[in-house]
Amino acid sequence: MVEREPTEIREHYVLTSADYEKGLKEGKLLGLRCKECKQITCPPMIVCQRCGSKELEKTELSGEGELMTFTVIRIPPEGYEAPYIVCLVKTKEDPWIIGRLDYDTEKMSQKMLGKKVRVKGVYAHVDKYSGGEHVCPVFEISQ
Ligand SMILES: [Zn+2]
């Protein structure tokens, strides 16, 4: 079976999820810059996350940001190994993105909030829930 997106949608994708994941594997955090309001959208969406414009161009983010919140997963979904840290990072360019934080889970506390972080790599894992490979950025503390 060939899955196809409607042409109207495909025309507006300048950065697909597949492109985004490929970028992560190559050490790049890719996003979209709105030609109208200059907002950066990441991970990729079909429209600007601020103004809804479809006039987007591909851009590369610095990979730097701030730890906004996190949770330590001790009982993982089936097929995953625990413990690990899921974090929400506010990138320097503004978008908030989810990833993993490479840090000692026993030493995590609320005192870590606000720490500077940067992308250090990628986590890629095939599970039975995502319909394929699950890929996300891995951050490290940079300050
Ligand atoms: Zn916009």
Side-chain angles (χ1 to χ4, degrees):
M1 189 178 106
V2 178
E3 288 186 33
R4 221 173 260 166
E5 292 181 51
T7 305
E8 183 192 343
I9 294 175
R10 205 173 337 136
E11 280 175 5
H12 293 286
Y13 263 117
V14 293
L15 179 67
T16 64
S17 292
D19 296 334
Y20 174 73
E21 292 176 356
K22 184 169 177 275
L24 283 175
K25 288 178 176 179
E26 292 170 354
K28 296 177 199 163
L29 183 59
L30 300 176
L32 296 162
R33 176 182 289 109
C34 179
K35 291 180 184 173
E36 294 187 23
C37 78
K38 308 302 177 201
Q39 171 73 26
I40 306 286
T41 295
C42 180
M45 295 176 201
I46 195 165
V47 295
C48 169
Q49 67 182 40
R50 179 192 286 153
C51 76
S53 170
K54 290 178 179 173
E55 294 302 314
L56 305 168
E57 60 188 359
K58 191 159 71 171
T59 188
E60 185 175 346
L61 285 74
S62 65
E64 297 171 9
E66 181 182 342
L67 182 63
M68 302 310 288
T69 193
F70 68 91
T71 190
V72 177
I73 303 295
R74 297 189 191 285
I75 302 173
E78 188 181 347
Y80 285 79
E81 286 184 22
Y84 62 91
I85 304 164
V86 175
C87 63
L88 183 61
V89 170
K90 180 183 191 297
T91 62
K92 206 165 127 183
E93 294 82 4
D94 199 46
W96 292 38
I97 59 175
I98 290 176
R100 284 190 175 208
L101 180 67
D102 182 15
Y103 197 78
D104 186 342
T105 55
E106 296 301 318
K107 292 181 180 166
M108 281 306 285
S109 75
Q110 298 298 315
K111 289 179 184 168
M112 300 298 287
L113 299 181
K115 291 277 190 194
K116 298 289 183 230
V117 296
R118 65 177 165 240
V119 174
K120 71 165 281 193
V122 64
Y123 176 79
H125 182 72
V126 176
D127 64 33
K128 68 183 208 184
Y129 309 104
S130 305
E133 194 176 38
H134 165 73
V135 177
C136 73
V138 176
F139 293 91
E140 65 182 353
I141 302 293
S142 61
Q143 72 179 30

